[in-house]
Amino acid sequence: MSRQNATPETRSVRLLKVGEQVRHVISELLTRQMVHDEVLTAHSVSVTEVRMSPDLRHATVFVKPLLGTDEDLVIKALRTNTAFFQKEVAGKLRLKYAARIKFLPDESFDEASRIDALLDDPRVRRDIGED
């Protein structure tokens, strides 16, 4: 049997699918409080996005604590427990290689608020106002 050539589109779909699977596994671990860490059990953490490297060996996980409180503390706790998350993700997804996980704070909400504030400026409203 001949193997189909992987196009950039199919590779990116695969990256998105695996990223979503990793996001679901990490979210489930946090929701069920399977991580034995006082900081993580005291905070609700949202896993907003997971970006996989093209070779699926690295996963960048973007997280945001509920209401954005104690973000630095939560990120530190997640980074401390990275080995646990990597082991659980590798066990549940059964990929060829276990992805190395890196946790980063999700800044997209802050960026969206900044853009909303810019668009709400009276000078900008005047320029984009209805005729």
Side-chain angles (χ1 to χ4, degrees):
M1 286 194 320
S2 70
R3 185 173 168 190
Q4 292 180 349
N5 292 334
T7 65
E9 291 82 18
T10 58
R11 280 195 301 259
S12 65
V13 169
R14 173 126 171 94
L15 293 177
L16 291 172
K17 284 182 179 179
V18 173
E20 267 305 292
Q21 290 174 336
V22 171
R23 188 179 74 81
H24 283 285
V25 170
I26 293 174
S27 294
E28 182 181 338
L29 293 171
L30 290 170
T31 302
R32 294 181 185 222
Q33 298 182 346
M34 297 176 74
V35 186
H36 301 292
D37 189 290
E38 293 175 11
V39 174
L40 296 177
T41 55
H43 292 84
S44 293
V45 181
S46 295
V47 180
T48 56
E49 182 183 2
V50 175
R51 293 184 190 159
M52 299 299 297
S53 66
D55 61 359
L56 301 175
R57 291 187 184 209
H58 300 278
T60 305
V61 180
F62 294 94
V63 296
K64 190 76 169 173
L66 188 63
L67 303 175
T69 57
D70 300 328
E71 188 171 276
D72 294 333
L73 198 60
V74 169
I75 295 292
K76 183 178 178 186
L78 288 167
R79 289 178 179 164
T80 302
N81 293 291
T82 300
F84 171 77
F85 287 109
Q86 287 176 181
K87 180 180 150 243
E88 291 295 317
V89 167
K92 294 200 183 207
L93 297 186
R94 296 185 188 130
L95 297 171
K96 186 174 183 179
Y97 299 103
R100 307 246 324 137
I101 296 175
K102 179 169 71 170
F103 290 99
L104 293 176
D106 188 356
E107 304 295 334
S108 62
F109 297 107
D110 299 331
E111 186 67 16
S113 296
R114 187 183 72 78
I115 291 171
D116 283 342
L118 286 173
L119 291 174
D120 212 25
D121 187 298
R123 294 171 292 179
V124 174
R125 283 183 165 277
R126 180 190 66 218
D127 291 344
I128 60 173
E130 307 261 339
D131 287 337

Short mmCIF file of all heavy atoms in Angstrom, two decimals, residues 22 25 29 83-99 101:
data_model
loop_
_atom_site.label_atom_id
_atom_site.label_comp_id
_atom_site.label_asym_id
_atom_site.label_seq_id
_atom_site.Cartn_x
_atom_site.Cartn_y
_atom_site.Cartn_z
N VAL A 22 -5.00 16.87 24.03
CA VAL A 22 -4.16 17.22 25.18
C VAL A 22 -4.90 18.19 26.09
O VAL A 22 -4.89 18.05 27.32
CB VAL A 22 -2.81 17.82 24.70
CG1 VAL A 22 -2.02 18.39 25.87
CG2 VAL A 22 -1.99 16.78 23.96
N VAL A 25 -7.47 16.30 28.19
CA VAL A 25 -6.87 15.48 29.25
C VAL A 25 -6.44 16.37 30.42
O VAL A 25 -6.74 16.08 31.59
CB VAL A 25 -5.67 14.67 28.71
CG1 VAL A 25 -4.89 14.03 29.83
CG2 VAL A 25 -6.14 13.63 27.72
N LEU A 29 -7.96 16.48 34.28
CA LEU A 29 -7.12 16.30 35.47
C LEU A 29 -7.32 17.44 36.46
O LEU A 29 -7.38 17.21 37.67
CB LEU A 29 -5.65 16.21 35.07
CG LEU A 29 -5.24 14.98 34.26
CD1 LEU A 29 -3.81 15.13 33.75
CD2 LEU A 29 -5.38 13.72 35.08
N ALA A 83 5.71 17.15 35.25
CA ALA A 83 6.00 15.73 35.03
C ALA A 83 4.74 14.88 35.17
O ALA A 83 4.53 13.94 34.39
CB ALA A 83 7.08 15.26 36.00
N PHE A 84 3.90 15.20 36.15
CA PHE A 84 2.65 14.47 36.34
C PHE A 84 1.75 14.62 35.12
O PHE A 84 1.20 13.65 34.61
CB PHE A 84 1.93 14.97 37.60
CG PHE A 84 0.54 14.42 37.74
CD1 PHE A 84 0.34 13.12 38.18
CD2 PHE A 84 -0.56 15.19 37.43
CE1 PHE A 84 -0.95 12.59 38.30
CE2 PHE A 84 -1.85 14.69 37.55
CZ PHE A 84 -2.04 13.39 37.98
N PHE A 85 1.61 15.85 34.63
CA PHE A 85 0.77 16.10 33.45
C PHE A 85 1.31 15.37 32.22
O PHE A 85 0.54 14.77 31.46
CB PHE A 85 0.66 17.60 33.17
CG PHE A 85 -0.21 18.33 34.15
CD1 PHE A 85 0.33 19.20 35.08
CD2 PHE A 85 -1.59 18.16 34.14
CE1 PHE A 85 -0.46 19.87 35.98
CE2 PHE A 85 -2.40 18.83 35.05
CZ PHE A 85 -1.83 19.68 35.97
N GLN A 86 2.62 15.40 32.03
CA GLN A 86 3.22 14.72 30.87
C GLN A 86 2.97 13.22 30.93
O GLN A 86 2.64 12.60 29.93
CB GLN A 86 4.73 15.00 30.83
CG GLN A 86 5.06 16.40 30.40
CD GLN A 86 6.54 16.72 30.43
OE1 GLN A 86 6.88 17.82 30.11
NE2 GLN A 86 7.40 15.81 30.80
N LYS A 87 3.11 12.65 32.12
CA LYS A 87 2.88 11.21 32.28
C LYS A 87 1.43 10.85 31.99
O LYS A 87 1.14 9.88 31.28
CB LYS A 87 3.25 10.80 33.70
CG LYS A 87 3.06 9.34 34.00
CD LYS A 87 3.45 9.04 35.44
CE LYS A 87 2.65 7.91 35.95
NZ LYS A 87 1.77 8.16 37.04
N GLU A 88 0.50 11.63 32.51
CA GLU A 88 -0.93 11.35 32.30
C GLU A 88 -1.33 11.53 30.83
O GLU A 88 -2.07 10.71 30.29
CB GLU A 88 -1.78 12.26 33.19
CG GLU A 88 -1.69 11.93 34.66
CD GLU A 88 -2.25 10.56 34.99
OE1 GLU A 88 -3.32 10.20 34.45
OE2 GLU A 88 -1.62 9.83 35.78
N VAL A 89 -0.85 12.59 30.20
CA VAL A 89 -1.17 12.82 28.78
C VAL A 89 -0.60 11.69 27.93
O VAL A 89 -1.28 11.17 27.05
CB VAL A 89 -0.64 14.20 28.32
CG1 VAL A 89 -0.68 14.32 26.81
CG2 VAL A 89 -1.44 15.31 28.97
N ALA A 90 0.63 11.29 28.20
CA ALA A 90 1.25 10.21 27.43
C ALA A 90 0.48 8.90 27.60
O ALA A 90 0.29 8.15 26.65
CB ALA A 90 2.70 10.03 27.86
N GLY A 91 0.04 8.64 28.81
CA GLY A 91 -0.70 7.40 29.07
C GLY A 91 -2.07 7.36 28.42
O GLY A 91 -2.51 6.32 27.94
N LYS A 92 -2.75 8.49 28.38
CA LYS A 92 -4.10 8.51 27.84
C LYS A 92 -4.13 8.62 26.32
O LYS A 92 -5.04 8.09 25.68
CB LYS A 92 -4.89 9.65 28.45
CG LYS A 92 -5.11 9.43 29.93
CD LYS A 92 -6.23 10.23 30.47
CE LYS A 92 -6.24 9.94 31.95
NZ LYS A 92 -7.32 10.02 32.68
N LEU A 93 -3.16 9.30 25.72
CA LEU A 93 -3.20 9.52 24.28
C LEU A 93 -2.43 8.47 23.48
O LEU A 93 -2.66 8.30 22.30
CB LEU A 93 -2.68 10.92 23.93
CG LEU A 93 -3.50 12.08 24.47
CD1 LEU A 93 -2.94 13.38 23.93
CD2 LEU A 93 -4.96 11.95 24.12
N ARG A 94 -1.51 7.80 24.10
CA ARG A 94 -0.73 6.74 23.46
C ARG A 94 -0.11 7.18 22.13
O ARG A 94 -0.27 6.52 21.10
CB ARG A 94 -1.59 5.50 23.23
CG ARG A 94 -2.06 4.89 24.52
CD ARG A 94 -2.80 3.61 24.25
NE ARG A 94 -3.40 3.14 25.48
CZ ARG A 94 -4.66 2.79 25.60
NH1 ARG A 94 -5.45 2.81 24.56
NH2 ARG A 94 -5.13 2.38 26.74
N LEU A 95 0.55 8.32 22.17
CA LEU A 95 1.27 8.80 21.00
C LEU A 95 2.65 8.14 20.95
O LEU A 95 3.10 7.54 21.92
CB LEU A 95 1.42 10.32 21.05
CG LEU A 95 0.11 11.11 21.01
CD1 LEU A 95 0.38 12.58 21.29
CD2 LEU A 95 -0.56 10.95 19.65
N LYS A 96 3.31 8.28 19.81
CA LYS A 96 4.62 7.67 19.66
C LYS A 96 5.62 8.28 20.65
O LYS A 96 6.43 7.57 21.23
CB LYS A 96 5.12 7.88 18.22
CG LYS A 96 6.41 7.18 17.92
CD LYS A 96 6.75 7.31 16.44
CE LYS A 96 8.00 6.55 16.11
NZ LYS A 96 8.34 6.65 14.69
N TYR A 97 5.54 9.58 20.84
CA TYR A 97 6.41 10.28 21.78
C TYR A 97 5.56 11.03 22.79
O TYR A 97 4.51 11.56 22.44
CB TYR A 97 7.30 11.30 21.05
CG TYR A 97 8.21 10.68 20.02
CD1 TYR A 97 7.90 10.77 18.67
CD2 TYR A 97 9.35 9.99 20.39
CE1 TYR A 97 8.71 10.20 17.72
CE2 TYR A 97 10.17 9.41 19.44
CZ TYR A 97 9.85 9.52 18.10
OH TYR A 97 10.66 8.95 17.17
N ALA A 98 6.03 11.07 24.02
CA ALA A 98 5.34 11.85 25.05
C ALA A 98 5.70 13.32 24.84
O ALA A 98 6.88 13.67 24.76
CB ALA A 98 5.77 11.40 26.43
N ALA A 99 4.70 14.15 24.74
CA ALA A 99 4.93 15.57 24.49
C ALA A 99 5.48 16.25 25.75
O ALA A 99 5.03 15.99 26.85
CB ALA A 99 3.63 16.25 24.07
N ILE A 101 5.52 19.33 27.97
CA ILE A 101 4.49 20.33 28.20
C ILE A 101 5.11 21.58 28.82
O ILE A 101 5.92 21.49 29.74
CB ILE A 101 3.38 19.77 29.10
CG1 ILE A 101 2.68 18.61 28.39
CG2 ILE A 101 2.39 20.86 29.48
CD1 ILE A 101 1.65 17.91 29.22
#
